Amino acid sequence: MDPHRLPATTQKRKASISHVSSPAKRARAVSITVKVSHGPTPVAGVGDPEICLPLKNPRACLGGIPEELLLKTFEHLDEDKDALAKLCRVDECCKRIGTEVLYRSIDGSWKDGSVQLEMFRIITNNAEVAKHVKVMNVGDGTWSREAEARALFSKALRMAVNIQELDISDCLDMQTERANIAQAHVWIDVFNNAAYGLGDDVNPFAHLKQLTIASNGGLGIKDLESIFLLPSVESITLRNLVEPAEIEEWAVPASSCPLKDLQMRQCFIDSAVVAQILSSAQALESLEFQFVSKFWEPFSPEHNLKSQWAHNSWSQVRAALTKHKESLTGLYLGEHIDSDIIETVFPGGRETGTLGSLKEFDKLKQATLPISILLDLQAGETDLAAKLP
């Protein structure tokens, strides 16, 4: 080898140059764990592997949202009870607001008796929960067959002092004397106590606006007389009730009831009783009355309400309606009677009269009723326009 061609010093191999800056390389080589907090947590020490970063805006978290907005948000979940229940577990604020929405409407309709029973227990075990209840629907009446459920429902009714809408279906039909009906349907006493100021633990139903009560023919108007004495009820719907004769010593004073909407559907009620109710209303705006004969049981014991025939006279209803001629806007009347019953009870024919002219009812906007109720067809009346306002 030619010594003149050897390098004067030893040469080292040069490393390749990367286009990425060395700080960026070092950044890829370091890994840390960062914990983000939803509250204003102070920064931890440098040696702490979990670094908490405070929020620039402390109110930018669930707890910082105004409660009015939270309430509006939760109200959109009114139909999703599971979601509301989960939100109630987030914190105390969500629990307070969520509970208000969660128990605002208690719907036991079409639920079995065990579900309805648990619903009553939830209300009766917590007075604060009971205060949140505004709407209550106690279902198809299966609960009423159990003594425990009837007692719990009565207690829940007493505790729900802010109730606004109430729907009761009681299918208990005991063949008992009238004096024992309230004892069997114990919840009736809650209304009696409210109306007459009896007892210490009384729900005055000061906010109750809408009331629906349904039975299977085991309840009468006399048994529920106290509901017409409640201070704020404007709408009452009664289904499948029986009252075969005028009520002696009707306890509701004339023009004392703030009732505006009265619906009596599928009821076996004497028209004299209808007149008594209408006399107690201040200014009725809508009346619906469907007279049916299906509850009549002529061979029942005398103490059974359904053993007596209830007479219906449209002339009597019309006379009672005259009081409300300046307020009535809707009128819905009808009757469903078995033709065989008519032939048996009224072999010489049945006289019910007619409503006559409605011209003085200036505010009447809708009327649904058979022509035979409005016109005396046997007398040859045919001019329908002459009867309407």
Coordinates of all heavy atoms in Angstrom, one line a residue, residues 4-74:
H4 N 1.6 7.2 1.0 CA 1.2 8.6 0.7 C -0.3 8.7 0.5 O -0.8 9.8 0.6 CB 2.0 9.0 -0.6 CG 3.5 9.0 -0.5 ND1 4.2 9.9 0.3 CD2 4.4 8.2 -1.0 CE1 5.5 9.7 0.3 NE2 5.7 8.6 -0.6
R5 N -1.0 7.6 0.3 CA -2.4 7.7 0.1 C -3.2 7.5 1.4 O -4.4 7.6 1.3 CB -2.9 6.7 -1.0 CG -2.2 6.9 -2.3 CD -2.7 6.0 -3.3 NE -4.1 6.3 -3.6 CZ -4.9 5.7 -4.5 NH1 -4.3 4.7 -5.2 NH2 -6.1 6.0 -4.7
L6 N -2.6 7.2 2.5 CA -3.3 7.0 3.7 C -3.7 8.4 4.3 O -3.0 9.4 4.2 CB -2.4 6.3 4.8 CG -2.1 4.9 4.5 CD1 -1.0 4.3 5.5 CD2 -3.3 4.0 4.5
P7 N -4.9 8.5 4.9 CA -5.3 9.8 5.5 C -4.4 10.2 6.6 O -3.9 9.3 7.3 CB -6.8 9.6 5.9 CG -6.9 8.1 6.1 CD -5.9 7.5 5.1
A8 N -4.3 11.5 6.8 CA -3.5 11.9 7.9 C -4.1 11.6 9.3 O -3.3 11.4 10.2 CB -3.2 13.4 7.8
T9 N -5.4 11.7 9.4 CA -6.1 11.4 10.7 C -7.2 10.4 10.4 O -7.7 10.2 9.3 CB -6.7 12.6 11.3 OG1 -7.7 13.2 10.4 CG2 -5.6 13.7 11.6
T10 N -7.6 9.7 11.5 CA -8.6 8.7 11.4 C -10.0 9.4 11.1 O -10.4 10.3 11.8 CB -8.7 7.9 12.6 OG1 -7.4 7.3 12.9 CG2 -9.7 6.8 12.5
Q11 N -10.8 9.0 10.1 CA -12.1 9.6 9.8 C -13.2 8.8 10.4 O -13.2 7.5 10.3 CB -12.2 9.6 8.3 CG -11.3 10.6 7.6 CD -11.5 10.7 6.1 OE1 -12.3 9.9 5.6 NE2 -10.9 11.6 5.4
K12 N -14.2 9.5 11.0 CA -15.4 8.9 11.6 C -16.6 9.0 10.6 O -16.7 10.0 9.9 CB -15.7 9.5 12.9 CG -14.6 9.3 14.0 CD -15.1 9.9 15.3 CE -14.0 9.6 16.4 NZ -14.4 10.2 17.6
R13 N -17.5 8.0 10.7 CA -18.7 8.0 9.8 C -19.7 9.0 10.4 O -20.0 9.1 11.6 CB -19.3 6.7 9.8 CG -20.5 6.6 8.9 CD -21.0 5.2 8.9 NE -22.2 5.1 8.0 CZ -22.9 4.0 7.8 NH1 -22.6 2.9 8.4 NH2 -24.0 4.0 7.0
K14 N -20.2 9.9 9.5 CA -21.2 11.0 9.9 C -22.6 10.4 10.1 O -23.0 9.6 9.2 CB -21.2 12.1 8.9 CG -19.9 12.8 8.9 CD -20.0 14.0 7.9 CE -18.7 14.8 7.8 NZ -18.8 15.9 6.9
A15 N -23.3 10.8 11.1 CA -24.6 10.3 11.3 C -25.6 11.1 10.4 O -25.3 12.2 10.0 CB -25.1 10.6 12.8
S16 N -26.7 10.4 10.0 CA -27.7 11.1 9.1 C -28.4 12.2 9.8 O -28.6 12.1 11.0 CB -28.7 10.0 8.6 OG -29.4 9.5 9.7
I17 N -28.7 13.2 9.1 CA -29.4 14.4 9.7 C -30.9 14.3 9.5 O -31.3 14.2 8.3 CB -28.8 15.7 9.1 CG1 -27.3 15.8 9.4 CG2 -29.5 16.9 9.6 CD1 -26.6 17.0 8.8
S18 N -31.6 14.4 10.5 CA -33.1 14.3 10.4 C -33.7 15.7 10.2 O -33.1 16.7 10.6 CB -33.7 13.7 11.6 OG -35.1 13.8 11.5
H19 N -34.8 15.8 9.5 CA -35.4 17.1 9.2 C -36.2 17.5 10.4 O -36.7 18.6 10.5 CB -36.4 17.0 8.0 CG -35.6 16.7 6.7 ND1 -34.8 17.7 6.2 CD2 -35.5 15.6 6.0 CE1 -34.2 17.2 5.0 NE2 -34.7 16.0 4.9
V20 N -36.5 16.6 11.4 CA -37.2 17.0 12.6 C -36.3 17.5 13.7 O -35.2 17.0 13.9 CB -38.0 15.8 13.2 CG1 -38.8 16.2 14.4 CG2 -38.8 15.1 12.1
S21 N -36.7 18.6 14.3 CA -35.9 19.2 15.3 C -35.7 18.4 16.5 O -36.6 17.6 16.8 CB -36.5 20.6 15.7 OG -37.7 20.4 16.3
S22 N -34.6 18.5 17.1 CA -34.3 17.7 18.3 C -35.3 17.9 19.4 O -35.6 16.9 20.1 CB -32.9 17.9 18.8 OG -32.7 19.3 19.1
P23 N -35.9 19.1 19.7 CA -36.9 19.2 20.8 C -38.1 18.4 20.5 O -38.7 17.8 21.4 CB -37.2 20.7 20.8 CG -36.0 21.4 20.2 CD -35.5 20.4 19.2
A24 N -38.5 18.3 19.2 CA -39.7 17.5 18.9 C -39.4 16.1 19.1 O -40.3 15.3 19.5 CB -40.1 17.8 17.4
K25 N -38.2 15.6 18.8 CA -37.8 14.2 19.0 C -37.9 13.9 20.5 O -38.5 12.9 20.9 CB -36.4 14.0 18.6 CG -36.3 13.6 17.1 CD -34.9 13.2 16.8 CE -34.8 12.6 15.4 NZ -33.5 12.1 15.1
R26 N -37.4 14.8 21.4 CA -37.4 14.5 22.8 C -38.9 14.5 23.3 O -39.2 13.8 24.2 CB -36.6 15.6 23.5 CG -35.1 15.5 23.3 CD -34.4 16.3 24.3 NE -34.7 17.7 24.2 CZ -34.0 18.5 23.4 NH1 -33.0 18.0 22.6 NH2 -34.2 19.8 23.3
A27 N -39.7 15.3 22.7 CA -41.1 15.3 23.1 C -41.8 14.0 22.9 O -42.7 13.6 23.6 CB -41.9 16.5 22.4
R28 N -41.4 13.3 21.8 CA -42.0 12.0 21.5 C -41.5 11.0 22.4 O -42.2 10.0 22.6 CB -41.7 11.6 20.0 CG -42.5 12.4 19.0 CD -42.5 11.7 17.7 NE -41.2 11.4 17.2 CZ -40.5 12.2 16.3 NH1 -41.1 13.3 15.9 NH2 -39.3 11.9 15.9
A29 N -40.5 11.2 23.0 CA -39.9 10.2 23.9 C -40.4 10.3 25.3 O -40.1 9.4 26.1 CB -38.3 10.3 23.9
V30 N -41.1 11.3 25.7 CA -41.5 11.5 27.0 C -43.0 11.3 27.1 O -43.8 11.8 26.3 CB -41.2 12.9 27.5 CG1 -41.7 13.1 29.0 CG2 -39.7 13.2 27.5
S31 N -43.5 10.5 28.1 CA -44.9 10.2 28.2 C -45.4 10.5 29.6 O -44.7 10.1 30.6 CB -45.2 8.7 27.9 OG -46.5 8.4 28.1
I32 N -46.4 11.3 29.8 CA -46.9 11.6 31.1 C -48.4 11.4 31.1 O -49.1 11.3 30.1 CB -46.6 13.1 31.5 CG1 -47.3 14.1 30.5 CG2 -45.2 13.4 31.6 CD1 -47.2 15.5 30.9
T33 N -49.0 11.2 32.3 CA -50.4 11.1 32.5 C -51.0 12.4 33.0 O -50.5 13.0 34.0 CB -50.7 10.0 33.6 OG1 -50.1 8.8 33.1 CG2 -52.2 9.8 33.8
V34 N -52.0 12.8 32.3 CA -52.7 14.1 32.7 C -54.1 13.8 33.1 O -54.8 13.1 32.4 CB -52.7 15.0 31.5 CG1 -53.4 16.3 31.8 CG2 -51.2 15.4 31.0
K35 N -54.5 14.3 34.2 CA -55.9 14.1 34.8 C -56.6 15.5 34.7 O -56.1 16.4 35.2 CB -55.8 13.6 36.2 CG -57.2 13.5 36.8 CD -57.1 13.1 38.3 CE -58.5 13.0 38.9 NZ -58.3 12.6 40.4
V36 N -57.7 15.5 33.9 CA -58.5 16.7 33.8 C -59.6 16.7 34.8 O -60.4 15.8 34.8 CB -59.0 16.8 32.3 CG1 -59.8 18.1 32.2 CG2 -57.8 16.8 31.3
S37 N -59.7 17.8 35.5 CA -60.8 17.9 36.5 C -61.9 18.8 36.0 O -61.6 19.7 35.2 CB -60.2 18.4 37.8 OG -61.2 18.7 38.8
H38 N -63.1 18.5 36.5 CA -64.3 19.4 36.2 C -64.5 20.5 37.2 O -65.4 21.2 37.1 CB -65.6 18.6 36.1 CG -65.6 17.7 34.8 ND1 -65.9 18.2 33.6 CD2 -65.3 16.4 34.7 CE1 -65.8 17.2 32.7 NE2 -65.5 16.1 33.4
G39 N -63.6 20.6 38.2 CA -63.7 21.6 39.2 C -62.4 22.4 39.3 O -61.3 22.0 38.7
P40 N -62.3 23.4 40.0 CA -61.1 24.3 40.0 C -60.1 23.7 41.0 O -59.8 24.2 42.1 CB -61.7 25.6 40.6 CG -62.8 25.2 41.4 CD -63.4 24.0 40.7
T41 N -59.5 22.5 40.6 CA -58.5 21.9 41.4 C -57.1 22.5 41.1 O -56.7 22.7 40.0 CB -58.4 20.4 41.0 OG1 -59.7 19.9 41.0 CG2 -57.5 19.6 42.0
P42 N -56.3 22.8 42.2 CA -55.0 23.4 42.0 C -54.1 22.5 41.3 O -54.2 21.2 41.4 CB -54.6 23.7 43.5 CG -55.4 22.8 44.3 CD -56.7 22.6 43.6
V43 N -53.0 23.0 40.7 CA -52.0 22.2 40.0 C -51.2 21.5 41.0 O -50.7 22.0 42.0 CB -51.1 23.1 39.1 CG1 -50.1 22.3 38.4 CG2 -52.0 23.9 38.1
A44 N -50.9 20.2 40.7 CA -50.1 19.4 41.7 C -48.6 19.7 41.4 O -48.3 20.4 40.5 CB -50.4 17.9 41.4
G45 N -47.8 19.2 42.3 CA -46.4 19.4 42.2 C -45.8 18.7 41.0 O -46.4 17.8 40.4
V46 N -44.6 19.1 40.6 CA -44.0 18.7 39.4 C -43.7 17.2 39.5 O -43.8 16.4 38.5 CB -42.7 19.4 39.1 CG1 -41.9 18.9 37.9 CG2 -43.0 20.9 38.9
G47 N -43.4 16.7 40.6 CA -43.1 15.3 40.8 C -44.3 14.4 40.8 O -44.1 13.2 40.7
D48 N -45.5 15.0 40.8 CA -46.7 14.2 40.8 C -47.0 13.7 39.4 O -47.1 14.6 38.5 CB -47.9 15.0 41.3 CG -49.1 14.2 41.6 OD1 -49.2 13.1 41.1 OD2 -50.0 14.7 42.4
P49 N -47.1 12.4 39.2 CA -47.4 11.9 37.8 C -48.8 12.3 37.3 O -49.0 12.3 36.1 CB -47.2 10.4 37.9 CG -47.5 10.1 39.3 CD -47.0 11.3 40.1
E50 N -49.7 12.7 38.2 CA -51.1 13.1 37.8 C -51.2 14.6 38.0 O -51.3 15.1 39.1 CB -52.1 12.3 38.6 CG -52.2 10.8 38.3 CD -53.3 10.2 39.0 OE1 -54.1 10.9 39.7 OE2 -53.5 9.0 38.8
I51 N -51.2 15.3 36.9 CA -51.3 16.8 36.9 C -52.7 17.2 36.6 O -53.3 16.8 35.6 CB -50.4 17.4 35.9 CG1 -48.9 17.0 36.1 CG2 -50.5 18.9 35.9 CD1 -48.0 17.5 35.1
C52 N -53.4 17.9 37.6 CA -54.8 18.3 37.4 C -54.8 19.7 36.9 O -54.1 20.6 37.4 CB -55.5 18.3 38.8 SG -55.6 16.6 39.5
L53 N -55.5 19.9 35.8 CA -55.6 21.2 35.2 C -56.9 22.0 35.6 O -58.0 21.4 35.4 CB -55.6 21.1 33.7 CG -54.3 20.4 33.1 CD1 -54.5 20.3 31.6 CD2 -53.1 21.1 33.5
P54 N -56.8 23.2 36.2 CA -58.0 23.9 36.6 C -58.7 24.4 35.3 O -58.1 24.7 34.3 CB -57.5 25.0 37.4 CG -56.1 25.3 36.9 CD -55.6 23.9 36.5
L55 N -60.1 24.6 35.5 CA -60.9 25.2 34.4 C -60.7 26.7 34.4 O -60.6 27.3 35.5 CB -62.4 24.8 34.6 CG -62.8 23.4 34.4 CD1 -64.2 23.2 34.9 CD2 -62.6 22.9 33.0
K56 N -60.5 27.3 33.2 CA -60.4 28.7 33.2 C -61.7 29.4 33.7 O -61.7 30.4 34.3 CB -60.2 29.1 31.7 CG -58.8 28.7 31.2 CD -58.6 29.2 29.8 CE -57.2 28.8 29.3 NZ -56.9 29.2 27.9
N57 N -62.9 28.7 33.4 CA -64.2 29.2 33.8 C -64.8 28.2 34.8 O -65.2 27.1 34.4 CB -65.1 29.4 32.7 CG -66.5 30.0 33.1 OD1 -66.7 30.3 34.3 ND2 -67.4 30.2 32.2
P58 N -64.7 28.5 36.1 CA -65.2 27.5 37.1 C -66.7 27.1 36.9 O -67.1 26.1 37.4 CB -65.0 28.3 38.5 CG -64.0 29.3 38.2 CD -64.3 29.7 36.7
R59 N -67.5 28.0 36.2 CA -68.9 27.6 36.1 C -69.2 26.8 34.8 O -70.3 26.4 34.6 CB -69.7 28.9 35.9 CG -69.6 29.8 37.2 CD -70.5 31.0 37.1 NE -71.9 30.6 37.0 CZ -72.7 30.3 38.0 NH1 -72.2 30.3 39.2 NH2 -74.0 30.0 37.8
A60 N -68.1 26.4 34.1 CA -68.3 25.6 32.9 C -68.3 24.2 33.3 O -67.5 23.4 32.8 CB -67.1 25.9 31.9
C61 N -69.2 23.8 34.1 CA -69.4 22.4 34.6 C -70.8 22.2 34.9 O -71.6 23.2 35.0 CB -68.4 22.0 35.7 SG -68.7 23.1 37.2
L62 N -71.2 21.0 35.2 CA -72.6 20.7 35.5 C -73.1 21.4 36.7 O -74.2 22.0 36.7 CB -72.8 19.2 35.7 CG -74.3 18.7 35.7 CD1 -75.0 19.0 34.4 CD2 -74.3 17.2 36.0
G63 N -72.3 21.5 37.7 CA -72.6 22.2 38.9 C -72.7 23.7 38.7 O -73.3 24.4 39.6
G64 N -72.2 24.3 37.7 CA -72.2 25.7 37.4 C -73.4 26.2 36.6 O -73.6 27.4 36.5
I65 N -74.2 25.2 36.1 CA -75.3 25.6 35.3 C -76.4 26.1 36.2 O -76.7 25.5 37.2 CB -75.9 24.4 34.5 CG1 -74.8 23.9 33.5 CG2 -77.1 24.8 33.7 CD1 -75.2 22.7 32.7
P66 N -77.1 27.2 35.9 CA -78.2 27.7 36.8 C -79.2 26.7 36.9 O -79.6 25.9 36.0 CB -78.7 29.0 36.0 CG -77.5 29.4 35.2 CD -76.8 28.2 34.8
E67 N -79.8 26.6 38.1 CA -80.8 25.5 38.4 C -82.0 25.7 37.5 O -82.7 24.6 37.2 CB -81.2 25.6 39.9 CG -80.0 25.2 40.8 CD -80.5 25.0 42.2 OE1 -81.7 25.2 42.5 OE2 -79.6 24.7 43.1
E68 N -82.4 26.9 37.1 CA -83.5 27.0 36.3 C -83.3 26.3 34.9 O -84.2 25.7 34.4 CB -83.8 28.5 36.0 CG -84.2 29.3 37.2 CD -83.0 29.7 38.1 OE1 -81.9 29.4 37.7 OE2 -83.3 30.4 39.1
L69 N -82.1 26.4 34.4 CA -81.8 25.7 33.1 C -81.7 24.2 33.3 O -82.1 23.5 32.4 CB -80.4 26.2 32.6 CG -80.4 27.7 32.1 CD1 -79.0 28.1 31.6 CD2 -81.5 27.9 31.0
L70 N -81.2 23.8 34.5 CA -81.1 22.3 34.7 C -82.6 21.8 34.8 O -82.9 20.7 34.3 CB -80.4 22.1 36.1 CG -78.9 22.0 36.0 CD1 -78.4 21.7 37.4 CD2 -78.4 20.9 35.1
L71 N -83.5 22.5 35.5 CA -84.8 22.1 35.6 C -85.5 22.0 34.2 O -86.2 21.0 33.9 CB -85.6 23.1 36.4 CG -87.1 22.8 36.6 CD1 -87.3 21.4 37.3 CD2 -87.8 23.9 37.4
K72 N -85.3 23.0 33.3 CA -85.8 22.9 32.0 C -85.2 21.7 31.2 O -85.9 21.0 30.4 CB -85.5 24.2 31.2 CG -86.3 25.4 31.8 CD -87.8 25.2 31.6 CE -88.5 26.5 32.0 NZ -90.0 26.3 31.9
T73 N -83.9 21.5 31.4 CA -83.3 20.3 30.7 C -83.9 19.0 31.2 O -84.2 18.1 30.4 CB -81.8 20.4 31.0 OG1 -81.3 21.6 30.5 CG2 -81.1 19.2 30.2
F74 N -84.0 18.9 32.5 CA -84.5 17.6 33.1 C -86.0 17.4 32.7 O -86.4 16.2 32.6 CB -84.4 17.7 34.6 CG -83.0 17.5 35.1 CD1 -81.9 17.6 34.3 CD2 -82.8 17.2 36.5 CE1 -80.7 17.4 34.8 CE2 -81.5 17.0 37.0 CZ -80.5 17.1 36.1

